[in-house]
């Protein structure tokens, strides 16, 4: 049985009182997202200051780097709360942004603010072992557990790197990988662990190894 934790409802201080609507479309193939209510373009740079998944721009309609950047930007713009956006943008991407499609005569998608408010309490971060137990390694502060429908995932918050955990007949496979836009994860490092081995320790080691090997851009700390 998979266990889950629901994302808390935004507090009154976080809730957006004015009617807000976002719209996404393409111009010469480039994804463009507007805060339609305030007649301005959604800021990529502001979201990149929080998490760096897709410096080249936003995307939607699947789970990947571009949609992760858009999910962060939407939550940051709508709630104006960096901590709230950082904690919940991956689950928001998986459930909401991955489902956005440019359809209809206007070839665009619309996302009203009230739909964001409605979605937030329904988001879940699921990580379960086959026996129903929770796997909760003590990760570095820039790593967190995130939700995927078919696997256990631990994600580096400031880069698009993941640790995936898979179970075989008599061992665990722990893989550090990089996710590119519209691409399957590219394995970087992997470890195999005996079924009764210390899986949490290996996950922690890979997270720390990733932090040590991948230097942040100049000016980031």
């Amino acid at each position: 049985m998979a266990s889950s934790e629901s994302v808390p409802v935004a507090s009154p201080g976080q809730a957006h009182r004015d009617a807000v609507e976002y719209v996404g479309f393409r111009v010469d193939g480039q994804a463009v997202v507007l805060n339609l209510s305030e007649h301005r373009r959604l800021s990529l740079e502001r979201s990149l200051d929080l998490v760096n998944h897709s410096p080249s721009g936003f995307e939607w309609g699947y789970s990947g780097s571009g949609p992760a950047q858009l999910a962060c930007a939407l939550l940051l713009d709508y709630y104006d709360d960096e901590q709230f956006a950082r904690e919940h943008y991956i689950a928001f991407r998986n459930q909401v942004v991955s489902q956005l499609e440019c359809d209809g005569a206007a070839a665009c998608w619309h996302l009203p603010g009230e739909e964001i408010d409605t979605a937030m309490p329904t988001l879940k971060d699921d990580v379960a072992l086959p026996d129903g137990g929770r796997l909760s390694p003590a990760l570095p502060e820039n790593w967190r557990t995130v939700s995927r429908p078919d696997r256990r995932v631990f994600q580096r918050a400031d880069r698009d790197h993941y640790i995936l955990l898979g179970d075989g007949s008599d061992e665990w496979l722990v893989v550090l990988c990089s996710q590119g836009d519209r691409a399957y994860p590219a394995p970087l490092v992997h470890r195999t662990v005996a079924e009764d081995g210390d899986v949490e320790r290996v996950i922690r080691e890979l997270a720390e190894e990733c932090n040590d090997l991948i230097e942040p851009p100049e000016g980031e700390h």
Side-chain angles (χ1 to χ4, degrees):
M1 289 179 58
S3 55
S4 63
E5 294 181 355
S6 295
V7 172
V9 179
S11 68
Q14 293 169 315
H16 207 296
R17 297 302 181 186
D18 300 323
V20 175
E21 183 173 12
Y22 299 95
V23 60
F25 52 93
R26 297 187 185 279
V27 177
D28 296 329
Q30 181 70 31
V32 176
V33 181
L34 304 178
N35 181 321
L36 197 60
S37 308
E38 299 181 7
H39 308 290
R40 59 178 173 79
R41 192 163 179 165
L42 189 65
S43 172
L44 173 65
E45 289 71 22
R46 187 185 181 197
S47 68
L48 285 172
D49 287 340
L50 193 62
V51 296
N52 189 326
H53 289 292
S54 181
S56 61
F58 299 133
E59 267 299 345
W60 54 77
Y62 65 102
S63 293
S65 303
Q69 199 70 51
L70 175 57
C72 180
L74 286 168
L75 293 184
L76 188 58
D77 188 80
Y78 185 65
Y79 291 112
D80 195 25
D81 186 322
E82 291 188 357
Q83 185 63 28
F84 190 81
R86 186 190 296 273
E87 290 177 355
H88 304 309
Y89 76 96
I90 289 296
F92 185 69
R93 176 198 67 178
N94 293 345
Q95 185 163 316
V96 177
V97 175
S98 66
Q99 305 304 309
L100 296 175
E101 295 182 359
C102 289
D103 52 17
C108 64
W109 54 258
H110 290 266
L111 182 63
E114 61 185 16
E115 290 188 14
I116 298 177
D117 286 330
T118 299
M120 294 312 298
T122 72
L123 304 186
K124 299 179 184 297
D125 291 330
D126 295 335
V127 178
L129 293 176
D131 62 2
R134 294 299 299 272
L135 183 67
S136 303
L139 297 171
E141 63 178 11
N142 62 329
W143 284 78
R144 62 176 53 85
T145 301
V146 299
S147 174
R148 289 283 179 89
D150 61 346
R151 64 188 65 187
R152 306 169 190 90
V153 180
F154 307 92
Q155 183 202 23
R156 182 171 169 172
D158 53 344
R159 292 291 179 276
D160 213 1
H161 287 81
Y162 303 84
I163 295 175
L164 309 180
L165 179 64
D167 56 295
S169 58
D170 57 0
E171 65 183 14
W172 295 97
L173 178 64
V174 187
V175 185
L176 170 65
C177 59
S178 175
Q179 173 78 58
D181 275 349
R182 298 189 182 278
Y184 288 103
L188 301 176
V189 181
H190 75 275
R191 303 278 191 275
T192 55
V193 186
E195 189 175 25
D196 58 352
D198 190 346
V199 180
E200 293 192 5
R201 177 183 59 80
V202 175
I203 292 172
R204 288 194 301 270
E205 289 176 353
L206 281 182
E208 291 166 357
E209 182 175 333
C210 178
N211 284 352
D212 291 340
L213 292 178
I214 304 172
E215 294 295 330
E218 186 176 354
E220 279 193 24
H221 300 283

